[in-house]
Amino acid sequence: MGTSLNISAFNHTLSTVLTALTMLALANQAGAASAAGPDEIVCPATILASTAVTTAEGWEPVGGAAEFRLAQTQLYLGNPADERPLPPEDDSGDDPRWRLPDSKNGEAWVGCTYSNTTVVLARKLDPRLTQCMVKRETVERQGKGADSNTMEMLPVITCN
């Protein structure tokens, strides 16, 4: 009977240690997530897109894809398809700022719109993020020919 008490005590101690290790691991993960640096979101500078023609009976579409340049980045309350742009909290300067809603008030998304097309690239933001700011950064853009690289200003969204 003495042996069964020792096994029972061992099982209890093991269970306590495993619970403590699990709690420590969860706390470490939460700390790592909050200690991670800001999330930088950069919309693609250009996209290659083609138009699908579905209503021209008797006609054959000719042509291929075209390149479209980034026109704007915008934050949205919900999917950009719902067309609910989130107005910046401060857009008095060159770097607009947004305070993001908490998850019970809706999800924040970023949408990248492109000139001369209705294409919007959309991405849902991590619900733990609380604010975002847009800055313009100079980025080298590769052209198609030799020596055709150019420098351009692209919006970079930084959220934390």
Side-chain angles (χ1 to χ4, degrees), residues 140-155:
E140 185 175 2
R141 183 173 178 272
Q142 292 183 335
K144 293 183 180 176
D147 298 327
S148 62
N149 292 355
T150 58
M151 301 301 279
E152 66 181 279
M153 298 291 285
L154 288 180

Side-chain angles (χ1 to χ4, degrees), residues 81-92:
D82 299 334
E83 298 183 4
R84 296 185 319 172
L86 192 62
E89 184 175 81
D90 176 17
D91 63 352
S92 59

Side-chain angles (χ1 to χ4, degrees), residues 54-98:
T54 59
T55 59
E57 187 175 326
W59 292 88
E60 181 178 324
V62 177
E67 186 175 84
F68 299 97
R69 297 176 66 81
L70 178 66
Q72 179 183 357
T73 58
Q74 173 67 48
L75 272 70
Y76 293 86
L77 184 58
N79 189 304
D82 299 334
E83 298 183 4
R84 296 185 319 172
L86 192 62
E89 184 175 81
D90 176 17
D91 63 352
S92 59
D94 290 336
D95 303 332
R97 297 172 187 269
W98 288 264

Side-chain angles (χ1 to χ4, degrees), residues 37-42 123 137 156-159:
D39 189 11
E40 284 197 349
I41 302 157
V42 181
R123 179 186 293 177
E137 293 186 5
V156 175
I157 301 173
T158 303
C159 301

Side-chain angles (χ1 to χ4, degrees), residues 47-53 61-68 117-119:
I47 58 169
L48 191 62
S50 61
T51 303
V53 178
V62 177
E67 186 175 84
F68 299 97
T117 183
T118 57
V119 173

